Amino acid sequence: MTETALPSFHVRTPLLESHPMSAALGARVLLKMEAFQPVGSFKIRGLGRACARAVADGAKRLVSSSGGNAGLAVAHAGRRLGVPVSVIVPRTTPEAMRAVIRAEGAEVTEHGASWDDAHARAGEVAGETDGALMHPFDDPIVWAGHAPLVEEMAEDLPSLVGAERPGAVVVSVGGGGLLVGILEGMHRVGWTSVPVIAVETDGAASYAASIAAGALVTLDAIESIATTLGARTVCAEALRWTERHPIESRLVSDRAAVDACERFAAEHRVLVEPSCGAALAAVHDPGESLAGRDPVIVIVCGGAGASPELLAGWRKRVGR
Ligand SMILES: *Cc1c(COP(=O)(O)O)cnc(C)c1O
């Protein structure tokens, strides 16, 4: 099957101007609302594409090692493709997320203390069951599936703000799959000199560490509330892009990310994970990087692991 003939499971999301954030920044802030995807995050774009491809190529089962939004996206795509899904999650995966993944019809099995353990086991399960192992961020088809979100923005921008290109794009970085997809999309639409602000929380800063070292760095541990950004090593492609595109790494505190989640809920009536709050926080505290940039696009990556109870718990952990 050709790429265009593959089924897709995502929706075209709106690009909205945020009046409160624009007023605070002193420049127009536009929100790409990936929180409105069927599974609550952009993950369904790239993983939906990867799952459809794998099934078209004969996979009899889909296997994921993510107890987060990637696992949920695979579960959702598998249900819609009519194939069984196994999600192998580490002990740290919260029960609420396991329940959401199970509700999509997937089988959730616990293995090991960390994602690395679960990932190794998921590879074995795929081998034993004629299944396909879906990587959450390090796969060209996942990047290619994320990229069209930029094409949507390029279509919407002229009528929204009368500009052909933004002044900057702000995006959260976990393993770097979203970042790479966005960079691919930006080069497709000719935004080759528009700076990208790549945001991580202090305790999950594997991309910042790799940029500083000029080589891939593996963190010993993730110490952040933004567990969704907790890839100990980013994909090599994310580091390679620093040679081809202006990318600025930004770090924000867990507290700033949680503040931004609360503020986003109050101002826009949408709940997002701290992983997404991180990108929003980089606009609330713009520093030098956004000076003179207009309009600024923030990728509101979303996240299904957000609820009023969880938000209250994060607030407790970071303090006022
Ligand atoms: C996966 C995810 C991220 C990070 O994306 P990467 O491709 O791993 O960099 C950020 N926010 C949310 C809500 C996610 O689901």
Side-chain angles (χ1 to χ4, degrees):
M1 250 195 263
T2 61
E3 291 298 301
T4 46
L6 290 174
S8 69
F9 312 110
H10 65 273
V11 298
R12 191 188 198 287
T13 55
L15 184 67
L16 307 175
E17 181 164 0
S18 167
H19 292 291
M21 290 180 74
S22 300
L25 182 66
R28 292 166 296 183
V29 176
L30 310 180
L31 309 169
K32 180 59 171 169
M33 291 302 294
E34 290 299 301
F36 293 163
Q37 289 294 350
V39 290
S41 82
F42 69 93
K43 287 281 193 334
I44 192 62
R45 291 182 182 264
L47 284 148
R49 168 96 65 112
C51 292
R53 174 87 267 160
V55 170
D57 290 345
K60 296 287 177 265
R61 174 177 292 272
L62 299 170
V63 185
S64 171
S65 54
S66 160
N69 294 304
L72 179 58
V74 172
H76 182 86
R79 177 170 64 74
R80 293 181 62 180
L81 286 160
V83 296
V85 175
S86 303
V87 183
I88 319 298
V89 303
R91 203 147 53 221
T92 47
T93 304
E95 184 47 44
M97 202 61 188
R98 297 181 196 206
V100 177
I101 295 172
R102 273 196 207 102
E104 288 280 0
E107 182 189 294
V108 177
T109 318
E110 183 183 293
H111 186 91
S114 72
W115 178 78
D116 306 71
D117 301 331
H119 193 65
R121 178 65 195 137
E124 293 168 9
V125 169
E128 291 159 9
T129 60
D130 226 355
L133 176 61
M134 313 313 299
H135 197 287
F137 57 81
D138 196 1
D139 186 342
I141 195 168
V142 170
W143 308 330
H146 293 335
L149 81 85
V150 180
E151 291 169 306
E152 293 173 12
M153 300 194 299
E155 278 169 26
D156 293 346
L157 202 59
S159 61
L160 188 62
V161 292
E164 292 294 325
R165 52 177 55 77
V169 174
V170 182
V171 58
S172 302
V173 176
L178 175 61
L179 173 70
V180 171
I182 281 173
L183 288 161
E184 283 184 7
M186 289 176 72
H187 282 242
R188 279 187 205 170
V189 301
W191 295 357
T192 53
S193 59
V194 174
V196 170
I197 316 299
V199 190
E200 297 170 291
T201 49
D202 292 325
S206 45
Y207 192 43
S210 296
I211 290 174
L216 286 182
V217 169
T218 299
L219 301 180
D220 291 335
I222 299 297
E223 280 154 8
S224 173
I225 261 180
T227 49
T228 297
L229 302 184
R232 289 170 56 223
T233 320
V234 295
C235 58
E237 191 68 8
L239 187 60
R240 264 182 235 123
W241 267 104
T242 57
E243 292 156 24
R244 316 202 274 274
H245 195 96
I247 299 172
E248 189 181 320
S249 166
R250 259 300 303 273
L251 299 183
V252 301
S253 67
D254 273 0
R255 183 196 292 210
V258 172
D259 286 348
C261 292
E262 280 186 352
R263 191 161 155 185
F264 199 68
E267 292 180 345
H268 299 286
R269 300 155 303 278
V270 175
L271 280 175
V272 296
E273 291 184 15
S275 57
C276 176
L280 296 163
V283 178
H284 293 316
D285 178 14
E288 281 298 297
S289 41
L290 292 179
R293 302 284 170 190
D294 178 79
V296 172
I297 295 182
V298 189
I299 310 300
V300 182
C301 45
S307 68
E309 295 73 28
L310 286 167
L311 184 53
W314 300 325
R315 167 54 69 202
K316 245 197 183 134
R317 274 173 63 189
V318 299
R320 283 269 157 212

